[in-house]
Amino acid sequence: MTAATRQEVLGLYRRIFRLARAWQAASGQLADTLEEKQYIVNEARTLFRKNKNLTDAALIQQCVAECTARIEIGLHYQIPYPRPIHLPPMGLTPLRGRGLRSQEKLRKLSKPVYLKSHDELP
């Protein structure tokens, strides 16, 4: 990891924790605010610890893009949770009639950048 990439990643990490400190739930309830703040902190720690040993520059940039997208979406919609995608099970038409395998591949390719690591958590 280069020094510039390291600074960018650490800056994102600090930005997330600053965001968590200032977070206010859309409902205005104190219990909801505390729960959402805790979710933000736990999610950030989990994902950053999971990805701390990455060395491939492309994968690091993909994780940075995911983090930035999740921050912006959270701020815009006032929810800290990732927005789900709604696709019917056979909603993507394959290029050729290859059945379920091509549907799974198209579904994987259509997953938004902000959900790439969310389903991979244990």
Side-chain angles (χ1 to χ4, degrees), residues 89 92 99-110:
L92 300 171
L100 189 58
R101 187 174 296 155
S102 63
Q103 282 288 321
E104 290 174 7
K105 184 177 179 183
L106 287 170
R107 182 174 291 283
K108 188 174 183 178
L109 290 174
S110 70

Side-chain angles (χ1 to χ4, degrees), residues 50-115:
K50 179 184 136 205
N51 295 323
K52 73 179 181 180
N53 295 323
L54 288 180
T55 56
D56 183 24
L59 283 175
I60 293 171
Q61 286 305 316
Q62 181 182 359
C63 290
V64 166
E66 177 184 354
C67 181
T68 305
R70 286 185 67 176
I71 289 171
E72 296 302 322
I73 288 171
L75 289 173
H76 179 76
Y77 291 104
Q78 288 296 306
I79 55 170
Y81 312 106
R83 290 178 50 83
I85 55 172
H86 301 288
L87 292 173
M90 296 297 280
L92 300 171
T93 56
L95 299 175
R96 296 183 182 92
R98 296 192 186 220
L100 189 58
R101 187 174 296 155
S102 63
Q103 282 288 321
E104 290 174 7
K105 184 177 179 183
L106 287 170
R107 182 174 291 283
K108 188 174 183 178
L109 290 174
S110 70
K111 184 185 276 191
V113 68
Y114 59 87
L115 286 176

Side-chain angles (χ1 to χ4, degrees), residues 1-15 64:
M1 181 183 308
T2 65
T5 306
R6 180 176 169 79
Q7 290 290 27
E8 183 180 11
V9 169
L10 290 175
L12 279 173
Y13 195 67
R14 284 189 298 269
R15 182 178 176 198
V64 166

Side-chain angles (χ1 to χ4, degrees), residues 22-40:
W23 186 264
Q24 290 294 317
S27 68
Q29 300 292 321
L30 180 61
D32 292 342
T33 298
L34 293 175
E35 181 182 329
E36 290 178 4
K37 283 182 177 186
Q38 192 61 42
Y39 173 80
I40 292 168

